[in-house]
Amino acid sequence: MEIQKLYDLDDIEFEDIAIGLVRLAKNIPDHEFFFKINRDNDLTFSRKKDVILHGAYFDYYFPRFEAYHKFTKTCFTFISNRSSESKQKKLQTELFTEEENIKFLLNNQVDVEYILHSSEQFPDFSVILLPENLVFPIQDYTLSSEEELYQIIQYYE
């Protein structure tokens, strides 16, 4: 009797994820930013376990904040684009390594402070009132399944 494959991993198409890119107009600490968001919304963002990326020479830590919107039944997650901390695992002995002590989740968007993700397939970030004169409008961005950040978001979801 022949065993039938239910699915082939090569044939599965992964759907893109819609995220929001959040840029701040001025540099403020995380706790102050989320205090202002929590004050203006019926959301309560709290710090969750950091997103951790393991490099060859460093482990990188990215702060993560989550809140649940009861009316829309949606979980919103802010992830810092820039690592807040890095721990050196071993000494760099090579002259030209591409790994530094600071890492960005989106290397081509270093001016972005936070990556905003939602549990919804088609997120509506307009339910979050952002502080005036502090945040630029949220930029919609689509992640394809080939990008490293896509895999990270799927893992931490």
Side-chain angles (χ1 to χ4, degrees):
M1 188 172 195
E2 195 174 310
I3 298 175
Q4 182 182 14
K5 278 188 177 179
L6 295 176
Y7 54 87
D8 186 5
L9 289 177
D10 295 333
D11 292 338
I12 296 175
E13 286 188 36
F14 295 100
E15 293 185 18
D16 295 345
I17 315 177
I19 60 171
L21 304 181
V22 180
R23 291 175 177 84
L24 299 182
K26 66 179 186 177
N27 194 10
I28 62 169
D30 291 338
H31 67 275
E32 187 177 331
F33 176 66
F34 288 102
F35 171 78
K36 290 180 181 191
I37 289 178
N38 289 343
R39 180 190 62 200
D40 298 340
N41 292 275
D42 58 346
L43 293 163
T44 307
F45 280 94
S46 60
R47 181 129 182 211
K48 300 297 180 186
K49 193 172 183 180
D50 287 356
V51 171
I52 302 171
L53 290 183
H54 303 285
Y57 299 101
F58 294 94
D59 287 338
Y60 301 99
Y61 296 83
F62 299 88
R64 181 170 62 117
F65 302 86
E66 266 184 17
Y68 182 74
H69 192 260
K70 293 174 185 167
F71 182 72
T72 60
K73 295 180 172 52
T74 305
C75 183
F76 290 103
T77 305
F78 278 89
I79 304 171
S80 180
N81 186 36
R82 183 177 197 254
S83 61
S84 63
E85 178 183 0
S86 61
K87 293 184 180 173
Q88 190 167 8
K89 297 193 292 190
K90 63 181 180 178
L91 197 59
Q92 292 180 337
T93 56
E94 297 174 22
L95 188 56
F96 299 106
T97 59
E98 292 185 16
E99 196 169 323
E100 297 180 19
N101 65 337
I102 295 174
K103 183 169 178 63
F104 290 90
L105 291 174
L106 290 171
N107 289 323
N108 58 344
Q109 303 281 345
V110 295
D111 61 330
V112 170
E113 274 77 24
Y114 299 101
I115 297 158
L116 179 56
H117 177 256
S118 167
S119 59
E120 296 290 318
Q121 173 137 14
F122 302 106
D124 179 15
F125 298 128
S126 66
V127 299
I128 303 173
L129 297 174
L130 297 173
E132 281 187 40
N133 302 326
L134 185 61
V135 180
F136 292 107
I138 295 174
Q139 177 188 345
D140 292 329
Y141 190 84
T142 304
L143 281 177
S144 70
S145 59
E146 288 87 38
E147 295 183 59
E148 180 184 24
L149 183 55
Y150 180 96
Q151 306 300 328
I152 293 167
I153 289 174
Q154 294 294 0
Y155 177 78
Y156 282 94
E157 193 171 66

